[in-house]
Amino acid sequence: MAWFRSLIRFSVTKSSSSSSSPSIRPGTASPFSPFPSPSLSWLAAAHFSSGQPLAHEPPAVVPHAGLGPTKPGEKPRVVVLGSGWAGCRLLKGLDTKTYDVVCVSPRNHMVFTPLLASTCVGTLEFRSVAEPIGRIQPAISREPGSYFFLAKCTGLDADKHEVQCETATDGPDTLEPWKFKISYDKLVIGLGAEASTFGIKGVLEHAIFLREVYHAQEIRRKLLLNLMLSDVPGVSESEKSRLLHCVVVGGGPTGVEFSGELSDFIMRDVHQRYAHVKNYIHVTLIEANEILSSFDDRLRHYATKQLTKSGVRLVRGVVKDVEARKIILDDGTEVPYGLLVWSTGVGPSPFVKSLELPKAPGGRIGVDEWLRVPSVEDVFAIGDCSGFLESTGKPTLPALAQVAERQGKYLAGLLNRIGKDGGAFANTAKDMAFGDPFVYKHLGSMATIGRYKALVDLRQSKLHWDDLWGYNSAGGKGLISCWILELVHLAIGISYTCDQLEEQILCGD
Amino acid sequence: MAWFRSLIRFSVTKSSSSSSSPSIRPGTASPFSPFPSPSLSWLAAAHFSSGQPLAHEPPAVVPHAGLGPTKPGEKPRVVVLGSGWAGCRLLKGLDTKTYDVVCVSPRNHMVFTPLLASTCVGTLEFRSVAEPIGRIQPAISREPGSYFFLAKCTGLDADKHEVQCETATDGPDTLEPWKFKISYDKLVIGLGAEASTFGIKGVLEHAIFLREVYHAQEIRRKLLLNLMLSDVPGVSESEKSRLLHCVVVGGGPTGVEFSGELSDFIMRDVHQRYAHVKNYIHVTLIEANEILSSFDDRLRHYATKQLTKSGVRLVRGVVKDVEARKIILDDGTEVPYGLLVWSTGVGPSPFVKSLELPKAPGGRIGVDEWLRVPSVEDVFAIGDCSGFLESTGKPTLPALAQVAERQGKYLAGLLNRIGKDGGAFANTAKDMAFGDPFVYKHLGSMATIGRYKALVDLRQSKLHWDDLWGYNSAGGKGLISCWILELVHLAIGISYTCDQLEEQILCGD
């Protein structure tokens, strides 16, 4: 393991150099005097292992590292995999007096997905749609036994009550990841789903999804880059049109909302600030069936009319192949593009598929009415990665924030209750009565379509403000409810900021 | 040229596909009806060259493209190379009724460098220190003859009054750059300087400079990444200390300001939000001579005391070698680091060195009292890339925003006057009287040192608020004066935002 090796090398030079460490000359540095003498000892302590012989040098990475099983006297440990709507809502609700909480995720923030499309063109700021996990559950940065680990889960040993993890350090200076293990008393799998490409060649290489903040940032960057490149002398007419042709594949809420935002951006900003090329930029939305198929017919037609009116070209077609500068539809039509955004729904991740657990329709992790994974002890699954087992006779719930959020909230309450009843530790809740099962009540669907217009579909439910407020508390105080915020945003396109640092860093800045 | 080739390939497939374009079926798409019939014709027009035979296909990149010499009846053209303090102040001041302005720069925004250090730890937002050029000089996005080109200058033919340029498209999807030429009536070189590494091995690979917004973003990202990694199980004590050891090389204003900001961040944020590892993080500032050598002795000692008090370790040393995880001082001392920021001053860029123009001391482009480059016609140089010729008997001015900004302002006035007197076109100002030469008056120096403390050195000048306000107008209305803003920021650490898009995109988001 290169990472490990390099550290060993490094500690050798370190200890050898400890002898020469006094050669940092405190005395001589006139403007530095008084030279802080602690600094020298600190340098020694921190970096030169106080000159210990190499033999006693602690290895850079401790072997078999991790968190072992909780001992009597310690708090029971809930391990949460993932930091999406489900996982974060659970983290927020867990009683940290009863439990130590450990969150494992490659993302140190929660993304407020319903508003992500608005950040691509500057209607909202990136920070406005991201919330650091340390804000949602402060215990992870303060409590001795609670942690957030920037890592991904690579394996599960349900009998041993243990997960294997690996550090996630994507970025310019990616480090060789190192592995560690965490024992759990309760495990909650909230790993979400992955954007589905339907095995179409070139999607992963050339298209941009719209599920993470860094996706939105990449869309912004590319859009502006293309606007500027198309203005440089030497670009032919057809190449200008290609660079400024924004193609969106997938007519679900995300695709429609992004198309609407984009056409707003073109009418509002491009016409004013890129006058030289304003007539070359166009938006095309490609959908195999019907846009917003989950919405009521009249709403769908209204959306179609509005989008067309604001210049979005709706094309019915099936994408067969994606190349660097054009996509090919199944009828052979070639559509050149400068920006390609892909939002054709989601499916289970390879890791979820690989887990040897009972599965629900669609390859999701199967759960019972209490969101338990049967056949293994103390394991729960929530959000897009989970689904009711057929044996429950319940339908698979849609992959929506509102489902995930409600499941997280329910499970937090359930675990807190189990904790109070003495079932918090591993294998102690076997024969416990779990009380009311999870029941999902759909509050309705909403999609913005640009020009501060939106569709709200409330067929399946009567809307109560109480429900709304119940639904709100999702993302912690930094995040206002998607409902309320989308309404505000429709009204005045408001952009607000939470004075936090993390989300800016690790989401691709 | 791959870019060119791929476009030719691409236009072949395009025209061949034009036959199949009608196969986009307007009729069939019920939710899409009314299907916008213009869209089809637009697709044709834009991408299928209206089915023209390949022979008539316009080449993707027009050969010998660019802006030719201005013709009678057209406005004379001022070409500005660079978008720093000097270039932007000039752009802002140029009379666009008299001139067409063309700015060539790989950066589409101006960076408010004096506040960059504050953005690394979230005291200020990135957008607060960047201003889009389109805001500073709106003509470039509106006037038919004025442009901003996202490109870098690669050559100068002073006799032909022409510059050679090349598109700059750094980023994930870098395009093969294409070349073009721009004829100028007046050329202003404001290309600034480059961070100097003194030829020390490994600096470019492992250290981060602090001159661009994307530098600050990378520092943020790395700092937070290291904080999180150091909390993951399996990291040894010494490795934790390495990851969280922030080393700053160079004790000038930038290095000192960054060290101060960093120690503030540690005391304010890390202690609260990274409690698990708060005792491992340290800041070391390494300087070969004296910190803030340009400042008064008493101020220097005050700074030393304040920095030491807030936990910054000041080490006098000369860096000999930089490796991935440690730096080696000339006395052999090895200093492991997790974050290395390099701010040891600036020097001329290779392109400036390569220009066959008279040079001033330090390899800068030599100018006379009117900022003209002698021996060539209609060429001026301002900012860090320029310096007075020895023949002028004037000293080389320091590489400060204050100097660059005043030179830009002066030259704008000079060019506007020349324009009114009929000397705007190429070779028409030969024997013209240029009036008052440029005279620099130093307003003083300022450096923040953390904890909302700062040094203000006014030895060389009596400070007038009028001067201050004169100094302000630098960055356009989005940017408040560095003086005023630093004072406000010292007072309340204010963070303000300009609702612009560009600067976020192309500076590394």
Side-chain angles (χ1 to χ4, degrees):
Chain A
M1 199 162 142
W3 166 246
F4 186 79
R5 279 199 309 278
S6 65
L7 282 169
I8 290 305
R9 255 208 319 286
F10 157 67
S11 35
V12 174
T13 54
K14 270 201 287 118
S15 47
S16 69
S17 74
S18 59
S19 55
S20 67
S21 59
S23 62
I24 296 179
R25 302 173 300 282
T28 58
S30 91
F32 296 103
S33 51
F35 185 95
S37 55
S39 95
L40 195 58
S41 59
W42 160 77
L43 272 167
H47 295 303
F48 306 118
S49 329
S50 357
Q52 284 168 3
L54 183 56
H56 301 109
E57 180 83 356
V61 173
V62 185
H64 323 301
L67 303 177
T70 48
K71 300 176 192 62
E74 289 181 341
K75 280 194 226 167
R77 181 185 304 139
V78 178
V79 173
V80 182
L81 306 180
S83 55
W85 281 89
C88 286
R89 185 61 186 84
L90 173 84
L91 280 169
K92 182 179 163 62
L94 276 176
D95 174 6
T96 51
K97 287 195 197 63
T98 309
Y99 293 102
D100 279 334
V101 291
V102 174
C103 177
V104 178
S105 171
R107 190 180 70 189
N108 71 336
H109 57 279
M110 177 202 170
V111 179
F112 200 72
T113 40
L115 290 174
L116 200 52
S118 307
T119 64
C120 300
V121 296
T123 310
L124 291 179
E125 244 335 291
F126 297 121
R127 286 178 154 200
S128 310
V129 301
E131 182 75 356
I133 291 163
R135 266 257 202 119
I136 295 170
Q137 179 46 273
I140 61 161
S141 38
R142 304 213 186 111
E143 295 296 318
S146 295
Y147 298 93
F148 168 78
F149 294 145
L150 191 75
K152 52 181 189 290
C153 181
T154 55
L156 162 63
D157 186 334
D159 302 334
K160 272 181 147 177
H161 274 61
E162 182 179 85
V163 286
Q164 295 102 40
C165 303
E166 193 172 275
T167 52
T169 62
D170 298 344
D173 46 357
T174 303
L175 303 171
E176 184 82 19
W178 68 87
K179 301 177 191 312
F180 59 95
K181 293 176 178 177
I182 311 171
S183 300
Y184 59 81
D185 292 293
K186 308 288 175 204
L187 176 69
V188 181
I189 306 174
L191 290 167
E194 269 189 8
S196 47
T197 66
F198 304 106
I200 297 168
K201 212 167 96 288
V203 175
L204 289 174
E205 294 80 350
H206 307 301
I208 308 174
F209 299 115
L210 191 42
R211 300 177 48 75
E212 301 286 348
V213 173
Y214 65 81
H215 290 144
Q217 290 171 319
E218 172 60 9
I219 289 171
R220 260 199 197 190
R221 196 193 62 80
K222 199 156 184 179
L223 191 59
L224 271 283
L225 182 62
N226 289 348
L227 274 164
M228 267 170 288
L229 284 178
S230 62
D231 200 13
V232 174
V235 185
S236 71
E237 295 296 295
S238 62
E239 177 60 3
K240 266 188 199 179
S241 300
R242 180 192 75 80
L243 280 168
L244 298 182
H245 187 204
C246 308
V247 174
V248 183
V249 178
T254 304
V256 166
E257 291 190 330
F258 177 66
S259 305
E261 288 286 350
L262 209 49
S263 61
D264 283 356
F265 170 72
I266 292 168
M267 285 185 284
R268 196 184 53 220
D269 300 71
V270 174
H271 279 246
Q272 179 204 338
R273 281 157 45 202
Y274 297 91
H276 298 136
V277 294
K278 65 177 190 293
N279 299 329
Y280 292 87
I281 188 163
H282 294 96
V283 184
T284 301
L285 174 59
I286 299 178
E287 164 62 44
N289 305 307
E290 298 186 336
I291 64 165
L292 300 172
S293 48
S294 65
F295 280 75
D296 174 75
D297 262 6
R298 286 160 311 150
L299 290 173
R300 233 166 34 225
H301 280 88
Y302 176 76
T304 308
K305 225 169 85 230
Q306 287 300 331
L307 287 171
T308 310
K309 201 192 279 176
S310 57
V312 177
R313 296 188 165 74
L314 301 166
V315 172
R316 172 170 285 193
V318 175
V319 176
K320 197 181 72 192
D321 200 356
V322 176
E323 297 178 10
R325 296 191 172 83
K326 64 174 189 284
I327 57 176
I328 295 135
L329 304 183
D330 60 351
D331 61 13
T333 314
E334 303 195 337
V335 183
Y337 68 84
L339 173 71
L340 177 60
V341 174
W342 196 268
S343 61
T344 57
V346 296
S349 69
F351 176 68
V352 165
K353 283 189 199 139
S354 76
L355 287 172
E356 285 169 0
L357 297 172
K359 294 288 162 72
R364 298 176 170 197
I365 300 169
V367 295
D368 65 14
E369 293 88 336
W370 294 272
L371 309 180
R372 274 183 306 199
V373 180
S375 83
V376 290
E377 205 51 45
D378 299 317
V379 180
F380 303 79
I382 53 178
D384 296 357
C385 72
S386 73
F388 285 123
L389 288 159
E390 279 171 293
S391 58
T392 61
K394 294 190 167 197
T396 304
L397 297 171
L400 292 174
Q402 97 176 268
V403 174
E405 192 273 342
R406 236 82 61 75
Q407 289 182 327
K409 189 180 175 189
Y410 166 85
L411 188 55
L414 178 60
L415 289 176
N416 291 342
R417 208 164 53 249
I418 292 173
K420 288 196 179 34
D421 301 350
F425 284 97
N427 301 311
T428 55
K430 270 197 180 68
D431 316 313
M432 209 171 252
F434 273 23
D436 300 335
F438 173 75
V439 178
Y440 174 67
K441 186 159 133 233
H442 189 68
L443 296 179
S445 310
M446 179 165 180
T448 62
I449 54 174
R451 297 175 155 194
Y452 303 130
K453 290 184 163 51
L455 317 174
V456 181
D457 189 337
L458 302 173
R459 280 173 301 168
Q460 297 164 56
S461 77
K462 203 156 177 309
L463 185 62
H464 297 298
W465 284 95
D466 306 352
D467 297 336
L468 269 191
W469 284 114
Y471 176 47
N472 289 354
S473 45
K477 70 181 184 329
L479 287 177
I480 307 165
S481 141
C482 122
W483 287 81
I484 301 308
L485 192 52
E486 287 222 18
L487 292 171
V488 174
H489 151 216
L490 287 169
I492 54 170
I494 191 170
S495 169
Y496 67 98
T497 304
C498 46
D499 288 333
Q500 290 294 327
L501 193 51
E502 292 97 327
E503 63 270 26
Q504 280 284 33
I505 318 316
L506 290 177
C507 55
D509 278 36
Chain B
M1 197 163 148
W3 165 245
F4 186 78
R5 278 199 311 279
S6 64
L7 282 168
I8 291 304
R9 256 209 318 288
F10 160 65
S11 35
V12 174
T13 54
K14 269 200 286 121
S15 47
S16 69
S17 73
S18 59
S19 57
S20 68
S21 57
S23 62
I24 297 179
R25 302 172 301 282
T28 58
S30 91
F32 297 103
S33 52
F35 185 94
S37 55
S39 95
L40 195 58
S41 60
W42 160 78
L43 272 168
H47 295 302
F48 306 119
S49 328
S50 356
Q52 285 167 5
L54 184 54
H56 301 109
E57 180 83 357
V61 172
V62 184
H64 322 301
L67 303 177
T70 49
K71 299 175 194 60
E74 290 182 342
K75 281 193 220 166
R77 182 185 302 138
V78 178
V79 174
V80 182
L81 306 180
S83 55
W85 281 90
C88 286
R89 185 61 186 84
L90 173 85
L91 280 170
K92 181 179 162 67
L94 277 176
D95 172 8
T96 52
K97 287 193 198 63
T98 310
Y99 292 102
D100 278 335
V101 291
V102 174
C103 177
V104 178
S105 172
R107 190 180 70 188
N108 70 337
H109 57 278
M110 177 203 170
V111 179
F112 199 71
T113 41
L115 290 174
L116 201 51
S118 307
T119 64
C120 299
V121 295
T123 310
L124 290 178
E125 243 336 291
F126 297 122
R127 287 180 151 199
S128 310
V129 302
E131 182 75 357
I133 291 162
R135 266 258 203 118
I136 295 169
Q137 179 47 270
I140 61 162
S141 39
R142 302 210 187 113
E143 295 295 318
S146 295
Y147 298 94
F148 168 77
F149 294 145
L150 191 76
K152 52 181 188 287
C153 181
T154 55
L156 163 64
D157 186 333
D159 302 336
K160 273 184 157 174
H161 274 61
E162 185 179 82
V163 286
Q164 294 103 41
C165 303
E166 195 173 271
T167 51
T169 61
D170 298 345
D173 46 357
T174 303
L175 304 171
E176 183 84 19
W178 67 86
K179 299 176 191 314
F180 58 96
K181 294 175 176 177
I182 311 171
S183 299
Y184 59 82
D185 292 294
K186 307 288 175 204
L187 176 68
V188 181
I189 306 173
L191 290 167
E194 268 189 8
S196 46
T197 66
F198 305 105
I200 297 167
K201 213 166 94 290
V203 175
L204 290 173
E205 294 79 353
H206 307 302
I208 308 174
F209 299 115
L210 192 42
R211 299 176 49 76
E212 301 287 349
V213 174
Y214 65 81
H215 291 144
Q217 290 171 318
E218 172 60 7
I219 290 171
R220 260 200 197 190
R221 195 194 63 80
K222 199 157 183 178
L223 190 58
L224 270 284
L225 182 62
N226 288 348
L227 273 165
M228 268 171 290
L229 283 179
S230 62
D231 201 13
V232 173
V235 185
S236 70
E237 294 296 295
S238 63
E239 178 59 3
K240 266 189 199 177
S241 300
R242 179 193 74 79
L243 280 168
L244 298 182
H245 187 204
C246 307
V247 175
V248 183
V249 178
T254 305
V256 167
E257 291 191 329
F258 176 65
S259 306
E261 287 285 350
L262 208 49
S263 61
D264 283 355
F265 169 71
I266 292 169
M267 285 185 285
R268 196 184 53 220
D269 300 72
V270 175
H271 279 246
Q272 179 202 339
R273 280 157 46 203
Y274 297 91
H276 298 137
V277 294
K278 65 176 191 292
N279 299 330
Y280 292 87
I281 189 164
H282 293 97
V283 183
T284 302
L285 174 59
I286 300 179
E287 164 61 46
N289 305 307
E290 297 187 336
I291 65 165
L292 299 172
S293 49
S294 65
F295 280 74
D296 174 74
D297 261 7
R298 285 159 314 151
L299 289 173
R300 240 176 18 236
H301 281 88
Y302 176 76
T304 308
K305 224 169 85 225
Q306 286 301 330
L307 287 171
T308 310
K309 201 193 280 177
S310 56
V312 177
R313 297 190 163 75
L314 301 166
V315 173
R316 172 169 284 193
V318 175
V319 176
K320 197 182 72 192
D321 200 355
V322 175
E323 295 177 13
R325 297 193 171 83
K326 63 173 188 283
I327 58 177
I328 294 135
L329 303 183
D330 60 353
D331 61 12
T333 315
E334 302 193 338
V335 184
Y337 68 85
L339 173 70
L340 177 60
V341 174
W342 195 269
S343 62
T344 58
V346 296
S349 69
F351 176 69
V352 166
K353 283 191 199 136
S354 75
L355 287 171
E356 285 169 358
L357 298 172
K359 294 288 162 70
R364 298 176 172 198
I365 300 168
V367 294
D368 65 14
E369 293 88 335
W370 294 272
L371 309 180
R372 276 182 304 199
V373 180
S375 82
V376 290
E377 205 51 46
D378 300 317
V379 179
F380 303 79
I382 53 178
D384 295 358
C385 71
S386 74
F388 285 122
L389 288 159
E390 278 170 295
S391 57
T392 61
K394 294 192 167 194
T396 304
L397 297 171
L400 293 174
Q402 177 172 189
V403 175
E405 192 272 341
R406 235 82 60 74
Q407 290 183 328
K409 189 179 176 190
Y410 167 86
L411 188 56
L414 178 59
L415 289 175
N416 291 341
R417 208 163 54 248
I418 292 172
K420 287 192 179 38
D421 302 350
F425 284 97
N427 301 309
T428 56
K430 269 198 180 64
D431 315 315
M432 210 172 249
F434 274 24
D436 299 336
F438 173 75
V439 179
Y440 175 67
K441 187 161 133 230
H442 189 68
L443 296 180
S445 309
M446 178 164 179
T448 61
I449 54 175
R451 297 174 156 195
Y452 302 129
K453 289 183 164 52
L455 317 173
V456 180
D457 189 337
L458 301 173
R459 279 172 301 168
Q460 296 165 56
S461 77
K462 200 157 178 311
L463 186 63
H464 298 298
W465 283 95
D466 307 352
D467 298 335
L468 270 191
W469 284 114
Y471 177 47
N472 290 353
S473 44
K477 68 181 187 328
L479 287 178
I480 307 165
S481 142
C482 124
W483 287 83
I484 301 307
L485 190 52
E486 288 223 19
L487 292 171
V488 174
H489 151 215
L490 287 170
I492 54 170
I494 192 170
S495 169
Y496 68 98
T497 304
C498 46
D499 286 332
Q500 289 295 327
L501 192 51
E502 292 96 326
E503 64 270 26
Q504 279 282 33
I505 318 316
L506 290 177
C507 55
D509 277 34

